[in-house]
Amino acid sequence: MAPMGIRLSPLGMAVFCLLGLGVLYHLYSGFLAGRFAFFMLSEPAAGGPDNPRGSAPAGAVDLRELLAASVLAAVKGGEEVKRVREGNVLNAKAKGKTREGAEEQLTSGDLLSNRKMFRLLKGAFPAVQINSEERVDTADQEPVSWDRVIPDDIKQKIQPKEVPAESVTVWIDPLDATQEYTEDLRQYVTTMVCVAVDGKPVIGVIHKPFSAYTAWAMVDGGSNVKARSSYNEKTPRIIVSRSHAGKVEQVARQTFGNKTVIIPAGGAGYKVLALLDVAEKNQEAADVYIHVTYIKKWDICAGNAVLRALGGHMTTLTGEEISYTGSDGNEGGLIASINMNHKALLEKLPDLEKTSHK
């Protein structure tokens, strides 16, 4: 007999038990749902698919990773350049004229190298702005993947450094010295990648496809190349474009003396390497690099970054720093040096700036 004379039927007991189980289920399922939601929200921060362990968070770029990918992109582009040249399938055609009236050449090497370099960098860093000399065919979706492996020499010299993706601009030159490329002057040809942060060049990669030599450097990081240690400031060796040698020679000899050596050469990448300690038989050595006309930023950004990383300078002919944002051209010519008094050089060459806008 139940207390107070209340008798519970078997049916009542069953209903009571079901109600109790329902309350317990409601409470416990809420607890599980909360724990599951917490797990799902917390997991990506620990290394989920949107943020793999060891990579920069969304909206940030690791400059060490970008350097490693840039080196690989320059090498992969160089492989295309070399393959086309050695197969003699350049398919060269004129794409326009320079301001001086010279024909600009476009080859299969330019296009195939550009496609390889752009796809690799864009696939690895989709949030980063990439400026390239050649147009990218948006219909061509051939993937070029990067395995995110950082070479040992970069890993040993460079520490990870994250910057906002929106502050980064990458400049690609898929084939520097195209004119010389068509003339089979292979020593002048390079592929280049530059990374600018807030307009300042901080990573430079210069690759010579036909000798498999690659120079790279990162400002406030490290490099795999050094500056030349010997030069004569009174009678420097000045390297200039083959087409501009006459414009520079007269002023240079008046400034530095008749013993000044003028070195005509092709390609901005080659000219910067001439200022560095590059142990190659096909690489000439110089003390100063001068360019007296308009030049595109993808031609000079990588060299500018390498020089900055090694303590050198590349400025306009009036001494202004070159910003790697905005337009793709540099109007003020340039002068580059390393281990020299750059300000004194600028003061010695005042007349060259007048020719840079012609």
Side-chain angles (χ1 to χ4, degrees):
M1 171 126 359
M4 304 295 295
I6 300 174
R7 184 186 299 275
L8 295 177
S9 68
L11 179 60
M13 287 292 291
V15 171
F16 181 81
C17 290
L18 288 173
L19 288 173
L21 289 172
V23 171
L24 289 174
Y25 173 80
H26 178 74
L27 293 173
Y28 193 62
S29 64
F31 172 78
L32 286 177
R35 295 303 297 168
F36 181 74
F38 176 79
F39 173 79
M40 292 298 292
L41 290 172
S42 301
E43 183 62 20
D50 294 330
N51 183 31
R53 294 181 187 271
S55 66
V61 174
D62 181 355
L63 290 180
R64 184 171 74 166
E65 291 186 351
L66 190 45
L67 168 59
S70 296
V71 170
L72 182 61
V75 171
K76 291 294 185 184
E79 290 173 355
E80 296 297 306
V81 168
K82 183 179 179 181
R83 181 175 62 81
V84 169
R85 178 65 268 185
E86 292 183 343
N88 198 28
V89 287
L90 275 65
N91 297 318
K93 61 181 180 181
K95 69 174 182 179
K97 291 190 175 183
T98 66
R99 291 190 178 184
E100 294 82 42
E103 265 192 0
E104 283 192 286
Q105 296 288 313
L106 178 67
T107 71
S108 296
D110 295 87
L111 297 175
L112 294 173
S113 173
N114 184 71
R115 180 174 66 178
K116 192 78 73 173
M117 295 172 71
F118 181 88
R119 292 294 179 204
L120 189 151
L121 291 169
K122 196 63 177 178
F125 303 94
V128 167
Q129 178 181 337
I130 300 178
N131 296 336
S132 181
E133 180 174 8
E134 307 304 338
R135 185 180 65 87
V136 178
D137 186 356
T138 55
D140 174 18
Q141 298 297 326
E142 177 193 4
V144 182
S145 62
W146 175 47
D147 58 12
R148 310 200 81 85
V149 172
I150 299 176
D152 288 340
D153 60 339
I154 293 178
K155 192 178 297 184
Q156 291 168 4
K157 295 180 179 180
I158 307 293
Q159 296 299 314
K161 182 178 180 179
E162 293 177 3
V163 296
E166 63 268 20
S167 70
V168 175
T169 304
V170 176
W171 296 84
I172 294 175
D173 192 342
L175 200 170
D176 190 40
T178 299
Q179 180 61 45
E180 286 73 19
Y181 182 65
T182 63
E183 298 172 17
D184 209 15
L185 299 173
R186 304 183 183 195
Q187 71 271 25
Y188 297 128
V189 175
T190 62
T191 58
M192 296 188 286
V193 180
C194 176
V195 177
V197 178
D198 295 324
K200 296 181 179 180
V202 298
I203 289 175
V205 179
I206 305 175
H207 175 67
K208 299 184 76 173
F210 296 102
S211 62
Y213 174 82
T214 306
W216 59 261
M218 177 173 161
V219 175
D220 296 328
S223 70
N224 71 340
V225 67
K226 297 180 180 179
R228 290 179 58 242
S229 57
S230 61
Y231 64 92
N232 189 329
E233 191 168 350
K234 293 182 179 179
T235 57
R237 296 168 58 85
I238 299 178
I239 194 164
V240 300
S241 293
R242 296 163 69 206
S243 58
H244 301 160
K247 292 182 178 181
V248 177
E249 184 171 4
Q250 184 177 0
V251 174
R253 293 192 187 283
Q254 289 174 351
T255 303
F256 298 108
N258 290 329
K259 293 183 179 180
T260 301
V261 177
I262 304 298
I263 306 172
Y270 179 90
K271 297 184 189 85
V272 168
L273 290 178
L275 307 181
L276 309 179
D277 185 8
V278 177
E280 284 197 293
K281 63 180 181 179
N282 288 329
Q283 177 64 60
E284 294 169 282
D287 304 305
V288 182
Y289 165 28
I290 295 176
H291 188 86
V292 296
T293 60
Y294 173 88
I295 192 168
K296 293 294 183 70
K297 291 178 180 177
W298 43 65
D299 290 317
I300 59 176
C301 186
N304 198 342
V306 171
L307 290 174
R308 286 187 70 224
L310 298 176
H313 302 274
M314 180 185 286
T315 65
T316 66
L317 293 172
T318 57
E320 298 176 357
E321 297 294 333
I322 301 168
S323 175
Y324 294 91
T325 57
S327 70
D328 60 14
N330 172 53
E331 295 280 356
L334 68 86
I335 181 168
S337 68
I338 193 166
N339 287 339
M340 296 185 74
N341 187 331
H342 193 76
K343 184 177 180 181
L345 286 173
L346 290 165
E347 293 171 351
K348 287 180 178 180
L349 299 171
D351 294 334
L352 285 176
E353 194 275 334
K354 296 178 183 178
T355 67
S356 67
H357 300 288
K358 294 180 179 179

